[in-house]
């Protein structure tokens, strides 16, 4: 990257490191940090929306909808989230392809599952076989986002369900006494007030989400764990200008420091937010 | 091949007893249930041992964090910060590469095996999380109880052992139950995080993924895995519920802390 990197004399000098850390592959590593941040930025609101939907469904008066909501909030209690990740990535992919197969190739008579294969017609493949590489990567990333949102949405649903129940009953009763309908009382009284009760749980969830981002690696996305393993493993002088031994230890140490800084920063910001939102509330944290 | 034969062949496959090769054909329900179930041996091994060892360290960490002495408090705080502030997945990787270095230096080569190395990481991880829980509980021990203990002439170790510690445990127990459940869930990460599987002896998720890769059908192995884990979770809740009842036995019925299993409390 730097002009002095072309000069072979820099080897063994201090700026060797500057050259080493700016190779094309290291740029991939730095971009994958952006990937993690993008994932968080998209997943967090999406999971919150899923969670809100789940919590509302769990409170519904329509029985099947309530069962669905309760079931959704219950799934995360008993089963490891990693299992969900691995399941949903394949299951969603197959579900999308199956639906497209049904719509796009109605004349196809063979079964979709043939022994140990999952066969759909070429037009239903996702992404299409002719699609460029970046579409494949984007599709994989999109599947990962939806998977994260489903799993952490269930956590969020738990939090929000609890928060809705924590709002004092008297508030709703007052709203009803003023002649508000159920819908009005929900949107104007319950929802604005529940956030303060939900915030501790949601900040916990945010931490969980941050700490779950390395699992992207298991979903087949080229994330920071992938690059740290790739770049850290030992290099022979024959294949690269920057030969080194097994440096994976140092790369992962770097990742650890990154996550520590990130969670610490989040903690600081969330605490400020908590203090801000507690203002004027009749809770212990209010000042 | 009958199902009984499959169970004999693969029931203990995860610890190296029985058939040497994993199944190559059939992939029927019986094989799924047997092999994933045999993988649960490792999940229970990691979870149970880490829980027991972590419990003692967690108490020490909680006391360290609550200590007045700086040289006790600072290390405990840092320990909790590092293990709670970073993903377990990264901790596994980092620990594995540290163990690899140690092995090359000839120190404790057995730590690179998952049975020892990953267990150590899990112990430290759960110790940090539970230490934080116990610390929080320690700080919320009612002042009146401590004053009553003083009035009765308890002091030092006896006051801690007879009054403060039981109350701490009682207050911490619902959250600690949650932590135990999360720990068992976290054991599924072990074989996906650098630690190599030896002779394909993996945990339940390892075998579930094996089947999902072979049959390209995630709708059978993962629900089976979920079934096993729900059983395990219920067992943990039941066991911890018994302890909770014992910890609360002196309280009048209406004041007993109800066990509320809420995953949003911790982690």
């Amino acid at each position: 990257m730097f002009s002095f990197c072309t000069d072979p004399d820099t080897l063994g000098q201090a700026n060797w490191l500057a050259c080493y850390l700016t190779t094309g592959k290291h740029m991939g590593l730095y971009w994958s940090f952006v990937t993690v941040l993008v994932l968080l930025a998209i997943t967090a609101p999406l999971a919150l929306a899923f969670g809100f939907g789940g919590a509302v469904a769990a409170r519904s008066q329509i029985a099947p909808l309530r069962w669905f909501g309760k079931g959704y909030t219950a799934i995360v209690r008993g089963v490891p989230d990693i299992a969900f990740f691995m399941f949903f990535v394949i299951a969603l992919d197959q579900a999308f392809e199956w639906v497209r197969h049904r719509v796009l190739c109605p004349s196809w008579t063979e079964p979709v599952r043939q022994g140990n294969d999952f066969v759909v017609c070429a037009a239903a493949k996702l992404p299409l076989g002719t699609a460029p590489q970046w579409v494949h990567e984007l599709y994989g990333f999109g599947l990962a986002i939806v998977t994260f949102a489903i799993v952490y949405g269930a956590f969020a649903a738990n939090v929000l369900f609890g928060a809705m129940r924590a709002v004092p009953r008297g508030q709703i009763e007052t709203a009803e006494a003023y002649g508000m309908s159920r819908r009005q009382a929900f949107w104007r009284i319950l929802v604005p007030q529940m956030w303060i009760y939900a915030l501790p749980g949601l900040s916990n969830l945010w931490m969980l989400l941050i700490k779950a981002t390395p699992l992207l690696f298991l979903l087949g996305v080229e994330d920071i764990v992938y690059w740290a393993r790739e770049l850290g493993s030992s290099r022979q002088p024959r294949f690269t200008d920057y030969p080194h031994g097994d440096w994976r230890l140092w790369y992962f140490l770097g990742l650890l420091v990154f996550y520590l800084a990130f969670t610490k920063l989040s903690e600081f910001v969330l605490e400020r937010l908590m203090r801000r939102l507690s203002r004027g509330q009749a809770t212990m944290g209010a000042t | 091949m009958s199902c009984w034969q499959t169970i004999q062949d693969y029931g203990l496959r995860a610890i190296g007893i029985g058939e040497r090769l994993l199944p190559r054909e059939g992939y029927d329900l019986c094989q799924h249930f047997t092999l994933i179930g045999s993988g649960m041996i490792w999940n229970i091994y990691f979870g149970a041992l880490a829980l027991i060892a972590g419990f003692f360290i967690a108490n020490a960490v909680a006391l360290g964090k609550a200590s007045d002495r700086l040289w006790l408090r600072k290390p405990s705080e840092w320990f909790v910060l590092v293990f709670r502030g970073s993903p377990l997945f990264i901790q596994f990787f980092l620990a594995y590469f540290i163990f690899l270095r140690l092995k090359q230096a000839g120190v404790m080569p057995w730590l690179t095996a998952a049975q020892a190395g990953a267990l150590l990481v899990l112990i430290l991880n759960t110790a940090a999380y539970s230490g934080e829980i116990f610390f929080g509980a320690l700080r919320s021990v009612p002042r009146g109880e401590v004053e009553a203990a003083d009035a009765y002439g308890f002091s030092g170790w006896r006051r801690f052992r007879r009054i403060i510690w039981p109350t701490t445990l009682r207050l911490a127990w619902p959250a600690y139950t949650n932590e135990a459940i999360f720990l068992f869930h976290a054991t599924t990460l072990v074989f996906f995080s650098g630690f190599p599987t030896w002779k394909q002896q993996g945990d339940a998720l390892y075998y579930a993924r094996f089947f999902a890769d072979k049959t390209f059908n995630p709708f059978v192995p993962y629900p089976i895995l979920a079934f096993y884990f729900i059983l395990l979770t219920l067992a943990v809740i039941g066991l911890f519920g018994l302890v909770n009842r014992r910890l609360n036995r002196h309280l009048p019925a209406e004041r007993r802390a109800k066990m509320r299993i809420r995953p949003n409390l911790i982690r």
Side-chain angles (χ1 to χ4, degrees), chain A residues 119-141:
Chain A
V119 186
V120 292
C121 62
K125 283 251 174 5
L126 260 180
L128 291 170
T130 52
Q133 176 65 19
W134 66 269
V135 175
H136 283 265
E137 281 175 14
L138 202 66
Y139 179 67
F141 188 64

PDB file of all heavy atoms in Angstrom, chain A residues 119-141:
ATOM      1  N   VAL A 119     -33.481 -31.553  -4.605  1.00  0.00           N
ATOM      2  CA  VAL A 119     -33.400 -31.168  -6.004  1.00  0.00           C
ATOM      3  C   VAL A 119     -34.536 -30.217  -6.367  1.00  0.00           C
ATOM      4  O   VAL A 119     -35.714 -30.542  -6.202  1.00  0.00           O
ATOM      5  CB  VAL A 119     -33.490 -32.417  -6.922  1.00  0.00           C
ATOM      6  CG1 VAL A 119     -33.249 -32.017  -8.360  1.00  0.00           C
ATOM      7  CG2 VAL A 119     -32.486 -33.450  -6.492  1.00  0.00           C
ATOM      8  N   VAL A 120     -34.166 -29.026  -6.820  1.00  0.00           N
ATOM      9  CA  VAL A 120     -35.169 -28.123  -7.385  1.00  0.00           C
ATOM     10  C   VAL A 120     -34.712 -27.782  -8.798  1.00  0.00           C
ATOM     11  O   VAL A 120     -33.552 -27.969  -9.161  1.00  0.00           O
ATOM     12  CB  VAL A 120     -35.329 -26.833  -6.561  1.00  0.00           C
ATOM     13  CG1 VAL A 120     -35.945 -27.132  -5.217  1.00  0.00           C
ATOM     14  CG2 VAL A 120     -34.008 -26.139  -6.388  1.00  0.00           C
ATOM     15  N   CYS A 121     -35.668 -27.263  -9.590  1.00  0.00           N
ATOM     16  CA  CYS A 121     -35.310 -26.950 -10.962  1.00  0.00           C
ATOM     17  C   CYS A 121     -34.337 -25.770 -10.993  1.00  0.00           C
ATOM     18  O   CYS A 121     -34.252 -24.993 -10.027  1.00  0.00           O
ATOM     19  CB  CYS A 121     -36.557 -26.634 -11.772  1.00  0.00           C
ATOM     20  SG  CYS A 121     -37.465 -25.211 -11.182  1.00  0.00           S
ATOM     21  N   ALA A 122     -33.604 -25.651 -12.092  1.00  0.00           N
ATOM     22  CA  ALA A 122     -32.509 -24.677 -12.167  1.00  0.00           C
ATOM     23  C   ALA A 122     -33.002 -23.253 -11.947  1.00  0.00           C
ATOM     24  O   ALA A 122     -32.303 -22.437 -11.342  1.00  0.00           O
ATOM     25  CB  ALA A 122     -31.804 -24.786 -13.513  1.00  0.00           C
ATOM     26  N   ALA A 123     -34.226 -22.962 -12.406  1.00  0.00           N
ATOM     27  CA  ALA A 123     -34.731 -21.590 -12.294  1.00  0.00           C
ATOM     28  C   ALA A 123     -35.053 -21.228 -10.850  1.00  0.00           C
ATOM     29  O   ALA A 123     -35.155 -20.055 -10.510  1.00  0.00           O
ATOM     30  CB  ALA A 123     -35.980 -21.433 -13.152  1.00  0.00           C
ATOM     31  N   ALA A 124     -35.218 -22.252  -9.983  1.00  0.00           N
ATOM     32  CA  ALA A 124     -35.620 -21.972  -8.608  1.00  0.00           C
ATOM     33  C   ALA A 124     -34.430 -21.862  -7.679  1.00  0.00           C
ATOM     34  O   ALA A 124     -34.584 -21.540  -6.513  1.00  0.00           O
ATOM     35  CB  ALA A 124     -36.550 -23.079  -8.107  1.00  0.00           C
ATOM     36  N   LYS A 125     -33.240 -22.164  -8.201  1.00  0.00           N
ATOM     37  CA  LYS A 125     -32.045 -22.114  -7.354  1.00  0.00           C
ATOM     38  C   LYS A 125     -31.842 -20.701  -6.793  1.00  0.00           C
ATOM     39  O   LYS A 125     -32.086 -19.708  -7.459  1.00  0.00           O
ATOM     40  CB  LYS A 125     -30.813 -22.503  -8.174  1.00  0.00           C
ATOM     41  CG  LYS A 125     -30.685 -23.983  -8.421  1.00  0.00           C
ATOM     42  CD  LYS A 125     -29.538 -24.505  -7.601  1.00  0.00           C
ATOM     43  CE  LYS A 125     -29.369 -26.003  -7.631  1.00  0.00           C
ATOM     44  NZ  LYS A 125     -30.160 -26.793  -8.459  1.00  0.00           N
ATOM     45  N   LEU A 126     -31.425 -20.669  -5.538  1.00  0.00           N
ATOM     46  CA  LEU A 126     -31.151 -19.380  -4.912  1.00  0.00           C
ATOM     47  C   LEU A 126     -29.728 -19.358  -4.388  1.00  0.00           C
ATOM     48  O   LEU A 126     -29.392 -20.213  -3.596  1.00  0.00           O
ATOM     49  CB  LEU A 126     -32.099 -19.149  -3.745  1.00  0.00           C
ATOM     50  CG  LEU A 126     -33.308 -18.258  -3.977  1.00  0.00           C
ATOM     51  CD1 LEU A 126     -34.113 -18.172  -2.701  1.00  0.00           C
ATOM     52  CD2 LEU A 126     -32.929 -16.900  -4.485  1.00  0.00           C
ATOM     53  N   PRO A 127     -28.901 -18.402  -4.722  1.00  0.00           N
ATOM     54  CA  PRO A 127     -29.096 -17.529  -5.878  1.00  0.00           C
ATOM     55  C   PRO A 127     -28.895 -18.326  -7.172  1.00  0.00           C
ATOM     56  O   PRO A 127     -28.386 -19.430  -7.120  1.00  0.00           O
ATOM     57  CB  PRO A 127     -28.022 -16.473  -5.700  1.00  0.00           C
ATOM     58  CG  PRO A 127     -27.021 -17.071  -4.782  1.00  0.00           C
ATOM     59  CD  PRO A 127     -27.666 -18.165  -4.021  1.00  0.00           C
ATOM     60  N   LEU A 128     -29.287 -17.782  -8.276  1.00  0.00           N
ATOM     61  CA  LEU A 128     -29.192 -18.489  -9.553  1.00  0.00           C
ATOM     62  C   LEU A 128     -27.754 -18.898  -9.824  1.00  0.00           C
ATOM     63  O   LEU A 128     -26.807 -18.210  -9.430  1.00  0.00           O
ATOM     64  CB  LEU A 128     -29.690 -17.581 -10.679  1.00  0.00           C
ATOM     65  CG  LEU A 128     -31.189 -17.302 -10.651  1.00  0.00           C
ATOM     66  CD1 LEU A 128     -31.527 -16.215 -11.648  1.00  0.00           C
ATOM     67  CD2 LEU A 128     -31.973 -18.557 -10.954  1.00  0.00           C
ATOM     68  N   GLY A 129     -27.600 -20.040 -10.482  1.00  0.00           N
ATOM     69  CA  GLY A 129     -26.261 -20.539 -10.761  1.00  0.00           C
ATOM     70  C   GLY A 129     -25.420 -19.565 -11.565  1.00  0.00           C
ATOM     71  O   GLY A 129     -24.190 -19.571 -11.488  1.00  0.00           O
ATOM     72  N   THR A 130     -26.096 -18.703 -12.317  1.00  0.00           N
ATOM     73  CA  THR A 130     -25.353 -17.772 -13.175  1.00  0.00           C
ATOM     74  C   THR A 130     -25.010 -16.477 -12.455  1.00  0.00           C
ATOM     75  O   THR A 130     -24.316 -15.631 -13.000  1.00  0.00           O
ATOM     76  CB  THR A 130     -26.198 -17.420 -14.410  1.00  0.00           C
ATOM     77  OG1 THR A 130     -27.485 -16.982 -13.950  1.00  0.00           O
ATOM     78  CG2 THR A 130     -26.365 -18.602 -15.321  1.00  0.00           C
ATOM     79  N   ALA A 131     -25.491 -16.327 -11.225  1.00  0.00           N
ATOM     80  CA  ALA A 131     -25.298 -15.063 -10.524  1.00  0.00           C
ATOM     81  C   ALA A 131     -23.827 -14.854 -10.173  1.00  0.00           C
ATOM     82  O   ALA A 131     -23.100 -15.826  -9.950  1.00  0.00           O
ATOM     83  CB  ALA A 131     -26.130 -15.047  -9.240  1.00  0.00           C
ATOM     84  N   PRO A 132     -23.401 -13.603 -10.153  1.00  0.00           N
ATOM     85  CA  PRO A 132     -22.002 -13.341  -9.804  1.00  0.00           C
ATOM     86  C   PRO A 132     -21.723 -13.665  -8.336  1.00  0.00           C
ATOM     87  O   PRO A 132     -22.644 -13.836  -7.535  1.00  0.00           O
ATOM     88  CB  PRO A 132     -21.835 -11.844 -10.084  1.00  0.00           C
ATOM     89  CG  PRO A 132     -23.210 -11.287 -10.028  1.00  0.00           C
ATOM     90  CD  PRO A 132     -24.117 -12.377 -10.492  1.00  0.00           C
ATOM     91  N   GLN A 133     -20.435 -13.689  -8.017  1.00  0.00           N
ATOM     92  CA  GLN A 133     -19.998 -14.118  -6.683  1.00  0.00           C
ATOM     93  C   GLN A 133     -20.606 -13.265  -5.568  1.00  0.00           C
ATOM     94  O   GLN A 133     -21.031 -13.779  -4.540  1.00  0.00           O
ATOM     95  CB  GLN A 133     -18.461 -14.052  -6.634  1.00  0.00           C
ATOM     96  CG  GLN A 133     -17.860 -14.364  -5.282  1.00  0.00           C
ATOM     97  CD  GLN A 133     -18.102 -15.801  -4.853  1.00  0.00           C
ATOM     98  OE1 GLN A 133     -18.401 -16.658  -5.678  1.00  0.00           O
ATOM     99  NE2 GLN A 133     -18.004 -16.057  -3.561  1.00  0.00           N
ATOM    100  N   TRP A 134     -20.679 -11.948  -5.813  1.00  0.00           N
ATOM    101  CA  TRP A 134     -21.135 -11.088  -4.712  1.00  0.00           C
ATOM    102  C   TRP A 134     -22.589 -11.345  -4.347  1.00  0.00           C
ATOM    103  O   TRP A 134     -23.002 -11.147  -3.203  1.00  0.00           O
ATOM    104  CB  TRP A 134     -20.880  -9.602  -5.019  1.00  0.00           C
ATOM    105  CG  TRP A 134     -21.698  -9.052  -6.176  1.00  0.00           C
ATOM    106  CD1 TRP A 134     -21.323  -9.023  -7.480  1.00  0.00           C
ATOM    107  CD2 TRP A 134     -23.005  -8.481  -6.115  1.00  0.00           C
ATOM    108  NE1 TRP A 134     -22.314  -8.470  -8.244  1.00  0.00           N
ATOM    109  CE2 TRP A 134     -23.354  -8.121  -7.426  1.00  0.00           C
ATOM    110  CE3 TRP A 134     -23.901  -8.240  -5.091  1.00  0.00           C
ATOM    111  CZ2 TRP A 134     -24.578  -7.541  -7.742  1.00  0.00           C
ATOM    112  CZ3 TRP A 134     -25.131  -7.661  -5.409  1.00  0.00           C
ATOM    113  CH2 TRP A 134     -25.458  -7.315  -6.722  1.00  0.00           C
ATOM    114  N   VAL A 135     -23.386 -11.824  -5.322  1.00  0.00           N
ATOM    115  CA  VAL A 135     -24.776 -12.153  -5.012  1.00  0.00           C
ATOM    116  C   VAL A 135     -24.820 -13.334  -4.054  1.00  0.00           C
ATOM    117  O   VAL A 135     -25.570 -13.355  -3.079  1.00  0.00           O
ATOM    118  CB  VAL A 135     -25.557 -12.460  -6.303  1.00  0.00           C
ATOM    119  CG1 VAL A 135     -26.972 -12.920  -5.970  1.00  0.00           C
ATOM    120  CG2 VAL A 135     -25.604 -11.237  -7.187  1.00  0.00           C
ATOM    121  N   HIS A 136     -23.945 -14.329  -4.333  1.00  0.00           N
ATOM    122  CA  HIS A 136     -23.875 -15.486  -3.435  1.00  0.00           C
ATOM    123  C   HIS A 136     -23.522 -15.062  -2.025  1.00  0.00           C
ATOM    124  O   HIS A 136     -24.131 -15.505  -1.051  1.00  0.00           O
ATOM    125  CB  HIS A 136     -22.831 -16.480  -3.956  1.00  0.00           C
ATOM    126  CG  HIS A 136     -23.304 -17.284  -5.114  1.00  0.00           C
ATOM    127  ND1 HIS A 136     -23.850 -18.536  -4.976  1.00  0.00           N
ATOM    128  CD2 HIS A 136     -23.327 -17.012  -6.435  1.00  0.00           C
ATOM    129  CE1 HIS A 136     -24.194 -19.005  -6.161  1.00  0.00           C
ATOM    130  NE2 HIS A 136     -23.873 -18.096  -7.074  1.00  0.00           N
ATOM    131  N   GLU A 137     -22.523 -14.178  -1.921  1.00  0.00           N
ATOM    132  CA  GLU A 137     -22.097 -13.736  -0.594  1.00  0.00           C
ATOM    133  C   GLU A 137     -23.187 -12.953   0.103  1.00  0.00           C
ATOM    134  O   GLU A 137     -23.442 -13.136   1.297  1.00  0.00           O
ATOM    135  CB  GLU A 137     -20.821 -12.889  -0.715  1.00  0.00           C
ATOM    136  CG  GLU A 137     -19.600 -13.753  -0.884  1.00  0.00           C
ATOM    137  CD  GLU A 137     -18.345 -12.942  -1.126  1.00  0.00           C
ATOM    138  OE1 GLU A 137     -18.382 -11.727  -0.904  1.00  0.00           O
ATOM    139  OE2 GLU A 137     -17.339 -13.539  -1.544  1.00  0.00           O
ATOM    140  N   LEU A 138     -23.859 -12.088  -0.678  1.00  0.00           N
ATOM    141  CA  LEU A 138     -24.922 -11.275  -0.088  1.00  0.00           C
ATOM    142  C   LEU A 138     -26.075 -12.154   0.366  1.00  0.00           C
ATOM    143  O   LEU A 138     -26.661 -11.934   1.437  1.00  0.00           O
ATOM    144  CB  LEU A 138     -25.409 -10.251  -1.120  1.00  0.00           C
ATOM    145  CG  LEU A 138     -26.112  -9.036  -0.532  1.00  0.00           C
ATOM    146  CD1 LEU A 138     -25.134  -8.216   0.282  1.00  0.00           C
ATOM    147  CD2 LEU A 138     -26.732  -8.196  -1.627  1.00  0.00           C
ATOM    148  N   TYR A 139     -26.374 -13.181  -0.415  1.00  0.00           N
ATOM    149  CA  TYR A 139     -27.455 -14.093  -0.047  1.00  0.00           C
ATOM    150  C   TYR A 139     -27.121 -14.819   1.256  1.00  0.00           C
ATOM    151  O   TYR A 139     -27.956 -14.918   2.154  1.00  0.00           O
ATOM    152  CB  TYR A 139     -27.687 -15.092  -1.183  1.00  0.00           C
ATOM    153  CG  TYR A 139     -28.768 -16.100  -0.890  1.00  0.00           C
ATOM    154  CD1 TYR A 139     -30.097 -15.707  -0.771  1.00  0.00           C
ATOM    155  CD2 TYR A 139     -28.465 -17.448  -0.727  1.00  0.00           C
ATOM    156  CE1 TYR A 139     -31.086 -16.624  -0.497  1.00  0.00           C
ATOM    157  CE2 TYR A 139     -29.453 -18.370  -0.451  1.00  0.00           C
ATOM    158  CZ  TYR A 139     -30.758 -17.951  -0.343  1.00  0.00           C
ATOM    159  OH  TYR A 139     -31.742 -18.860  -0.065  1.00  0.00           O
ATOM    160  N   GLY A 140     -25.876 -15.303   1.351  1.00  0.00           N
ATOM    161  CA  GLY A 140     -25.456 -15.973   2.579  1.00  0.00           C
ATOM    162  C   GLY A 140     -25.552 -15.047   3.776  1.00  0.00           C
ATOM    163  O   GLY A 140     -26.040 -15.428   4.845  1.00  0.00           O
ATOM    164  N   PHE A 141     -25.131 -13.804   3.573  1.00  0.00           N
ATOM    165  CA  PHE A 141     -25.185 -12.820   4.648  1.00  0.00           C
ATOM    166  C   PHE A 141     -26.639 -12.522   5.039  1.00  0.00           C
ATOM    167  O   PHE A 141     -26.978 -12.425   6.222  1.00  0.00           O
ATOM    168  CB  PHE A 141     -24.472 -11.545   4.184  1.00  0.00           C
ATOM    169  CG  PHE A 141     -24.292 -10.521   5.262  1.00  0.00           C
ATOM    170  CD1 PHE A 141     -23.498 -10.789   6.358  1.00  0.00           C
ATOM    171  CD2 PHE A 141     -24.908  -9.288   5.171  1.00  0.00           C
ATOM    172  CE1 PHE A 141     -23.332  -9.853   7.349  1.00  0.00           C
ATOM    173  CE2 PHE A 141     -24.737  -8.345   6.161  1.00  0.00           C
ATOM    174  CZ  PHE A 141     -23.952  -8.630   7.251  1.00  0.00           C
TER     175      PHE A 141
END
